[in-house]
Amino acid sequence: KPAGLDRTGEVNLEKALAFGDALGGHLVSGHVDGIGTVREFTPVAESRKLVVEAPAELGKFLAYKGSVAVDGVSLTVNKVNDVGTGCLFSVNLIPHTVDVTALKNLSVGSKVNLEIDLIARYVERMLSDGRQNA
């Protein structure tokens, strides 16, 4: 059971990209940058809308059409809204993603592991003039 999460059962695992492999998606390293909370998980036509509240400190790394990993599943952000308690972001889950990942087990209030976009992490470091206490 991952630290901080209240669920057990399925996990999302993907094979690592080998050196020289073609890159066909987002860069995901498997790090957990924070814990989010599911605020909405509703059907929209054939898909599902997933809205997660991320900690405020991760909000600057979330962008419309950017990427984020939720419980290890790399997804494209559809909407971002900074709120007083954090940052709400939404993603669209196509039926295939729901069927083949553990995301199908989510419900409102579920805690999820979040990994921010790898490139956003480096851009933040460069823009901060290298001043970071991580």
Side-chain angles (χ1 to χ4, degrees):
K1 180 172 162 179
L5 301 184
D6 55 5
R7 294 176 282 119
T8 59
E10 293 181 82
V11 295
N12 300 304
L13 297 175
E14 293 197 30
K15 292 172 61 175
L17 185 68
F19 187 74
D21 285 352
L23 180 61
H26 305 141
L27 295 172
V28 177
S29 61
H31 297 288
V32 175
D33 296 305
I35 304 293
T37 304
V38 174
R39 296 297 181 210
E40 181 180 338
F41 192 52
T42 54
V44 176
E46 294 179 3
S47 300
R48 295 198 54 98
K49 178 181 179 183
L50 173 64
V51 178
V52 175
E53 183 173 350
E57 62 270 15
L58 296 185
K60 64 184 170 185
F61 298 106
L62 297 164
Y64 173 68
K65 298 294 183 188
S67 64
V68 63
V70 176
D71 277 353
V73 179
S74 184
L75 302 165
T76 301
V77 176
N78 289 336
K79 188 174 181 182
V80 178
N81 185 22
D82 292 313
V83 294
T85 56
C87 179
L88 294 174
F89 69 90
S90 65
V91 297
N92 179 59
L93 301 177
I94 62 173
H96 176 76
T97 301
V98 175
D99 290 343
V100 301
T101 69
L103 297 179
K104 66 181 156 285
N105 300 319
L106 295 178
S107 60
V108 172
S110 293
K111 301 293 184 188
V112 291
N113 287 321
L114 300 175
E115 179 182 349
I116 57 162
D117 180 73
L118 185 63
I119 294 171
R121 188 186 331 260
Y122 284 107
V123 169
E124 167 65 18
R125 174 80 170 148
M126 288 186 289
L127 293 176
S128 69
D129 295 326
R131 291 169 287 162
Q132 187 173 350
N133 294 325

